[in-house]
Amino acid sequence: MSKRLTIAQAQQQLPNLPQELLNEPIIITQDGVPVMAAMSYTHLTELLETLDILTDTEFVTKLHQSITQAHQFAMRTEDLC
């Protein structure tokens, strides 16, 4: 589960947040309700790249086909042993 901080705590800990965000995002709350998340820039760019790939329907279709072919090949290979 992600660490949670109040907005006041996040403000106080801002100088230390970059190090803490290396492991996982932090949920920032106001009155006990999550209102934002903080994450490392590296994590953000990785997430955006993943979303970009997953929204490319042609790529995802080809990926699924390749995975299916690989499984079928593995099953045929096991039958030979």
Side-chain angles (χ1 to χ4, degrees), residues 17-38:
L17 285 183
Q19 186 63 33
E20 289 190 46
L21 294 172
L22 291 175
N23 298 323
E24 65 180 346
I26 294 176
I27 306 301
I28 300 173
T29 63
Q30 183 174 29
D31 299 324
V33 178
V35 292
M36 67 180 80

Side-chain angles (χ1 to χ4, degrees), residues 27-73:
I27 306 301
I28 300 173
T29 63
Q30 183 174 29
D31 299 324
V33 178
V35 292
M36 67 180 80
M39 67 176 66
S40 70
Y41 182 76
T42 300
H43 189 183
L44 173 64
T45 56
E46 290 170 351
L47 180 61
L48 292 174
E49 288 173 2
T50 300
L51 288 173
D52 190 39
I53 290 168
L54 292 176
T55 57
D56 182 342
T57 54
E58 182 180 343
F59 175 81
V60 171
T61 299
K62 289 180 180 180
L63 178 61
H64 283 157
Q65 290 171 348
S66 297
I67 292 169
T68 300
Q69 289 173 351
H71 285 293
Q72 290 171 349
F73 178 77

